[in-house]
Amino acid sequence: MLQRNQISPAVDLRNRPAELPSLAETFDAFVTYLLRQYLVILGTAGLCLFGGICYLMTAAPSYTALATMIIDMRKLQGAQQQSPVNDAPVDSSAVESQVEILKSENVALAVIRDLKLNEDPEFIGSGAGAAGAVLDFVSGLFAGSAPPNEFYRTRRAVRTFEKQLDVRRRGMTYVIEVSFRSLDPERAAQIANAVADAYIVEQLDSKYQATRRASVWLQDRIQELRSQASNAERAVLDYKKTNNIVTSSGKLLNEQQLGELNTQLLHVKSQVTDAKARLDRIEAVVKGGVPDATVADTLNNQVITKLRSQYLELANREADWSSRYGYNHLAAINLRNQMREIQSSIIDELKRLAESYKSDYAIALQRQTEIERAVNDSVSQSQSTNQAQVTLRELESSAQTYRSLYDNFLQRYMENVQQQSFPVNEARVITRASRPLSKSHPQTFVVLALSALGGLIAGLALGVLRDLYDRVFRTADMVETILDADCVAIVPRLSPSQLKAPVAGRPNLPVAARLIQRGDEPVLWAAIDSPFSRFSEAIRSIKVNADLNVTKPSKILGLTSALPNEGKSTLAFVFAQLVAQSGARVLLIDCDLRNPSLSRKVAANAERGILDVLSNNATLQDTLWRDPETGLAFLPGATRSRIAHSHEVLASDQMKDFIDAVRSHYDYVIVDFPPLTPVVDVRITAHFVDSFVFIVEWGKTQVQVVERALRSARAVNENLLGVVLNKADIAAMSRYSGYGGKNYYYNSHYGRYGYTE
């Protein structure tokens, strides 16, 4: 038994929880997606590939030349005679700064000026190839007839120059690569070398200008200091002359003593400073732990130096033993114990030295205090008698200070002059650019590969968009998934070659005969003419599903659809014919009272129909038309005028009594109803219809239209036998399902006559 699941109009089918597909289902879905969208994908990829080929054919080839430079700070340090201790390596920020300088506009302008690139069409045009020519032409139309000035050409050249120049650091080294791309290989090498040379010249010029500005400033400062020193010395001489101060051996004794005391005071202060420095250093070393080799050498203590050497030797042995036998090896532990003993000895020796330095510092400080006291006494003694000596010393100190500053600035000025005359740059070229042998742009393989890949990606995306907007029914799975209903049949579309030629003209039979004659609609007799065809098998599956529905009788079957022209009337007639041909008593009723298209096709001359039977104006036997080939009884829906309230006719008690009456005389009663969306007739027919068959046109009827129609028609929804996909393109269905193509749907092997297996 086939159990049909009913859908509820109050439930949104699109909000049902989705199950995750398996890997095989995902792969199958992807394959079917490729099958149905391969034309779009290949077409888009072909267009993109054709665009790449056109680009390769129109783009002018360009060549890239490469020159390499290195940042060498040792040259500059050697020229400045710096100590090897200050030879610090160049950090990454310094190298990256040099890269940015190479990219700067100053270097670009220097190269453009030297090589006159602002007059080269390659640099002042819009670009190379056909695209560049078109841009030049269009820009020329808008720019007018006035030629561009020098400034405009230079700015265009700078912009093009910066686009074609590439400067980068090679890994983490100090090597910088300077590459330039040009249409002419010789030009590319020439410009790459010119950039490197311009950078070196610019660096030398910047150093020269900086040194020159420093020299000018020092020169002005030297002149000012020379004048101040001369004035200070002249003031000393004038003061001595005014106060009769003799600077020879005839000067006063207290002055000589004061001079000697000052000399001793300066010497003692120097000793105090040295003692304090040694004391602070040794206390810092003692506080910090074991000193390194440099500190030991600075302390100049043989005991510490010897202990330090022993400590380093034990440390090397301990590291060797630990690496060989493990950190916790007894020998390694003993070595570490010896190292700790040496450390303790070093600390003890350092403490002893600290006490010695502390004593020296205290002695020196005491001597300084005594000499300062003696100086103060001497000064106080001489103030009352020789006040002029103090002023004289101040003047002499000032003169000496100015003289020292003058000598210092003069020495620095001479050093700058020497550096200015001997410029050294820290960058040098290690490989000059040479003429490239092959083009670098455009790269044929890369362009074609990117074009093809981009085309495939765009094609896949376009195919996905087409699938997203393709909201129609194409497979039985879609019907069962979206509508939660059984797909009872997939009726293929019949091509003209599969149909018999229509009759040339309708036979002129009397109306009283009421016999259905073949007309110009051969599809109505397709199942009778080809009983072994896929079309016939699809119609038979409707009857099979109706017979297997044992939950309720399916003797009265109603056929409807969501929209007109979906083939429901044709299927109703073909289905009734095929069932009648099997020997069953079948009555086909045309209840599409708004548009009785089936009656016009098979009983065009009918003057009476179902309305006459319901109104008792005619009997059923006087109204029926019969098919002489199958014995099908057909009750037309002929009306003399259009009925506005046809739904009241179908909902009437007379209609129900009529169906109950014919139920006992016929095995099957097939009713052709109007579509659901335009009219409301079908919604009130559940009182006499057992089951409904819903017809959906394959690949045309929108999903939302069918869902809305079923939600609005509760009678059809609750008594739905199944859905029939009509006018299906069997060959195209293989691209929407993963069941092996069109052979899955009624393989033609079973349609051959004489098959006996």
Side-chain angles (χ1 to χ4, degrees):
M1 176 178 74
L2 298 178
Q3 181 65 33
R4 178 181 59 83
N5 296 324
Q6 297 180 352
I7 61 174
S8 175
V11 178
D12 191 355
L13 298 176
R14 292 170 293 184
N15 293 331
R16 293 178 302 175
E19 297 181 357
L20 293 177
S22 63
L23 181 61
E25 291 174 342
T26 304
F27 178 76
D28 183 71
F30 180 71
V31 171
T32 55
Y33 162 74
L34 293 179
L35 289 176
R36 66 177 174 267
Q37 301 292 348
Y38 74 96
L39 292 177
V40 174
I41 297 173
L42 294 180
T44 306
L47 288 176
C48 293
L49 187 61
F50 177 74
I53 295 174
C54 293
Y55 170 75
L56 291 175
M57 295 177 62
T58 56
S62 59
Y63 302 84
T64 302
L66 177 66
T68 56
M69 305 176 60
I70 187 170
I71 305 298
D72 191 359
M73 295 297 293
R74 291 176 296 179
K75 285 188 175 182
L76 182 61
Q77 293 168 356
Q80 294 177 348
Q81 297 180 355
Q82 293 183 352
S83 173
V85 178
N86 297 327
D87 190 8
V90 182
D91 56 358
S92 297
S93 59
V95 179
E96 294 297 334
S97 300
Q98 302 306 312
V99 171
E100 295 302 321
I101 293 175
L102 278 163
K103 295 179 181 179
S104 65
E105 189 172 311
N106 288 338
V107 176
L109 288 174
V111 176
I112 292 172
R113 181 179 60 254
D114 294 341
L115 301 181
K116 298 181 180 180
L117 299 182
N118 56 350
E119 300 176 1
D120 193 337
E122 178 183 353
F123 291 87
I124 62 176
S126 299
V134 172
L135 289 176
D136 289 340
F137 177 75
V138 173
S139 61
L141 293 178
F142 288 98
S145 59
N149 54 24
E150 181 71 19
F151 175 78
Y152 175 80
R153 292 198 306 269
T154 302
R155 298 314 305 172
R156 288 290 297 272
V158 169
R159 184 173 61 184
T160 305
F161 185 90
E162 291 177 348
K163 290 180 180 179
Q164 298 177 194
L165 177 66
D166 184 24
V167 181
R168 63 183 62 186
R169 182 183 181 184
R170 181 180 294 176
M172 297 302 294
T173 65
Y174 298 158
V175 177
I176 297 177
E177 297 179 347
V178 180
S179 60
F180 193 85
R181 181 163 55 92
S182 176
L183 301 179
D184 185 3
E186 296 288 349
R187 194 70 159 172
Q190 181 185 16
I191 295 177
N193 292 325
V195 170
D197 296 338
Y199 164 75
I200 293 176
V201 172
E202 195 272 339
Q203 289 293 93
L204 292 175
D205 183 69
S206 63
K207 293 179 182 297
Y208 173 78
Q209 294 296 333
T211 306
R212 184 173 177 273
R213 287 192 295 269
S215 299
V216 172
W217 181 83
L218 286 173
Q219 189 174 7
D220 295 339
R221 185 59 177 161
I222 286 172
Q223 293 178 357
E224 181 181 355
L225 289 174
R226 184 189 298 116
S227 176
Q228 292 176 350
S230 299
N231 293 333
E233 292 175 352
R234 189 176 298 109
V236 171
L237 295 176
D238 293 341
Y239 187 81
K240 286 181 178 181
K241 183 178 180 180
T242 302
N243 294 277
N244 296 321
I245 297 175
V246 179
T247 59
S248 63
S249 58
K251 57 184 174 181
L252 298 176
L253 179 61
N254 58 351
E255 181 180 297
Q256 295 178 358
Q257 292 177 350
L258 184 60
E260 293 175 356
L261 289 175
N262 283 331
T263 302
Q264 293 177 6
L265 180 60
L266 292 175
H267 181 67
V268 169
K269 285 184 177 181
S270 177
Q271 291 179 350
V272 170
T273 302
D274 293 341
K276 178 63 175 174
R278 287 195 300 270
L279 179 60
D280 293 340
R281 180 58 176 163
I282 195 66
E283 288 179 349
V285 171
V286 171
K287 183 179 180 180
V290 179
D292 54 14
T294 304
V295 175
D297 293 339
T298 304
L299 293 175
N300 196 17
N301 185 276
Q302 295 180 356
V303 176
I304 294 178
T305 302
K306 183 177 180 180
L307 291 175
R308 182 61 176 172
S309 300
Q310 294 176 2
Y311 178 83
L312 294 176
E313 181 181 356
L314 291 175
N316 293 331
R317 290 174 57 190
E318 188 273 338
D320 185 28
W321 281 71
S322 297
S323 61
R324 288 185 181 183
Y325 305 107
Y327 183 80
N328 295 323
H329 192 268
L330 183 59
I333 295 174
N334 292 333
L335 290 175
R336 286 193 291 273
N337 292 332
Q338 294 179 21
M339 291 169 59
R340 283 192 288 271
E341 292 177 359
I342 294 176
Q343 288 179 352
S344 177
S345 299
I346 292 175
I347 294 299
D348 293 340
E349 182 64 20
L350 289 175
K351 291 180 179 179
R352 188 188 66 78
L353 289 176
E355 293 297 329
S356 176
Y357 289 162
K358 187 181 296 184
S359 176
D360 294 341
Y361 173 71
I363 294 173
L365 190 62
Q366 184 177 1
R367 288 185 60 193
Q368 178 182 350
T369 304
E370 293 176 355
I371 294 176
E372 286 178 348
R373 187 182 301 110
V375 170
N376 292 332
D377 294 340
S378 178
V379 169
S380 61
Q381 291 176 4
S382 61
Q383 281 180 351
S384 58
T385 58
N386 198 7
Q387 186 66 31
Q389 295 293 326
V390 178
T391 305
L392 178 61
R393 290 187 182 90
E394 292 178 356
L395 293 176
E396 290 178 345
S397 177
S398 177
Q400 184 178 2
T401 301
Y402 282 120
R403 178 58 63 181
S404 298
L405 289 174
Y406 171 75
D407 294 339
N408 188 15
F409 273 76
L410 182 61
Q411 182 180 0
R412 294 181 61 184
Y413 173 74
M414 297 303 297
E415 292 176 355
N416 284 333
V417 171
Q418 181 181 6
Q419 184 177 357
Q420 183 177 353
S421 61
F422 184 63
V424 177
N425 191 24
E426 62 271 18
R428 60 187 176 89
V429 178
I430 58 177
T431 303
R432 297 190 66 83
S434 60
R435 181 183 183 274
L437 299 179
S438 60
K439 69 176 184 178
S440 58
H441 296 84
Q443 300 179 7
T444 303
F445 177 76
V446 174
V447 171
L448 294 180
L450 291 178
S451 300
L453 180 60
L456 288 176
I457 295 175
L460 291 172
L462 185 59
V464 171
L465 290 178
R466 292 187 73 229
D467 274 357
L468 292 177
Y469 285 98
D470 187 26
R471 294 287 295 167
V472 294
F473 292 96
R474 296 190 182 274
T475 63
D477 291 339
M478 293 182 64
V479 173
E480 296 171 359
T481 302
I482 297 176
L483 301 180
D484 199 15
D486 295 332
C487 181
V488 297
I490 299 177
V491 181
R493 180 186 296 274
L494 296 178
S495 62
S497 61
Q498 295 175 302
L499 301 173
K500 288 188 176 181
V503 181
R506 293 179 181 272
N508 189 10
L509 295 176
V511 177
R514 298 196 304 277
L515 295 177
I516 299 174
Q517 300 294 322
R518 296 199 179 199
D520 54 359
E521 295 286 343
V523 68
L524 297 175
W525 283 266
I528 304 300
D529 295 336
S530 301
F532 299 99
S533 64
R534 297 174 182 171
F535 182 80
S536 301
E537 290 298 325
I539 303 300
R540 290 191 186 97
S541 65
I542 303 176
K543 180 178 181 301
V544 171
N545 282 271
D547 294 339
L548 293 178
N549 188 14
V550 297
T551 57
K552 62 179 299 185
S554 297
K555 196 171 184 179
I556 311 299
L557 292 177
L559 275 72
T560 185
S561 62
L563 299 173
N565 300 322
E566 294 193 64
K568 63 173 182 58
S569 299
T570 301
L571 284 184
F573 184 79
V574 175
F575 174 59
Q577 264 192 331
L578 202 60
V579 176
Q581 189 185 35
S582 65
R585 296 172 299 170
V586 181
L587 173 63
L588 175 62
I589 304 175
D590 186 1
C591 284
D592 191 353
L593 302 180
R594 300 285 187 93
N595 181 27
S597 59
L598 182 58
S599 299
R600 289 195 296 267
K601 292 178 181 179
V602 300
N605 298 325
E607 297 179 354
R608 291 177 293 186
I610 187 174
L611 293 179
D612 297 294
V613 176
L614 295 178
S615 61
N616 295 323
N617 293 330
T619 63
L620 177 62
Q621 297 300 325
D622 295 336
T623 312
L624 289 179
W625 285 61
R626 297 188 180 276
D627 183 9
E629 298 183 30
T630 61
L632 170 66
F634 174 64
L635 179 59
T639 58
R640 296 180 179 86
S641 61
R642 300 185 64 182
I643 301 176
H645 302 285
S646 57
H647 64 283
E648 296 181 357
V649 176
L650 298 179
S652 63
D653 294 335
Q654 291 85 350
M655 184 67 186
K656 185 178 184 305
D657 295 339
F658 169 74
I659 295 297
D660 292 340
V662 300
R663 183 188 295 270
S664 59
H665 294 86
Y666 292 93
D667 298 325
Y668 295 94
V669 178
I670 301 172
V671 185
D672 179 23
F673 286 113
L676 290 175
T677 303
V679 294
V680 298
D681 294 4
V682 191
R683 304 179 187 179
I684 40 82
T685 58
H687 63 291
F688 64 86
V689 177
D690 296 336
S691 299
F692 288 92
V693 178
F694 195 79
I695 311 301
V696 176
E697 184 173 356
W698 183 90
K700 184 176 181 180
T701 307
Q702 296 291 324
V703 172
Q704 59 268 25
V705 174
V706 176
E707 290 180 327
R708 189 182 304 112
L710 290 178
R711 284 196 298 267
S712 63
R714 183 181 296 273
V716 178
N717 189 18
E718 294 178 351
N719 298 280
L720 187 63
L721 176 66
V723 178
V724 175
L725 289 179
N726 192 26
K727 304 178 185 179
D729 187 349
I730 300 300
M733 287 185 68
S734 62
R735 300 195 296 268
Y736 292 90
S737 61
Y739 301 108
K742 62 182 180 181
N743 289 332
Y744 173 77
Y745 300 97
Y746 318 117
N747 194 303
S748 60
H749 184 70
Y750 291 92
R752 297 202 303 261
Y753 291 98
Y755 185 74
T756 59
E757 183 178 352

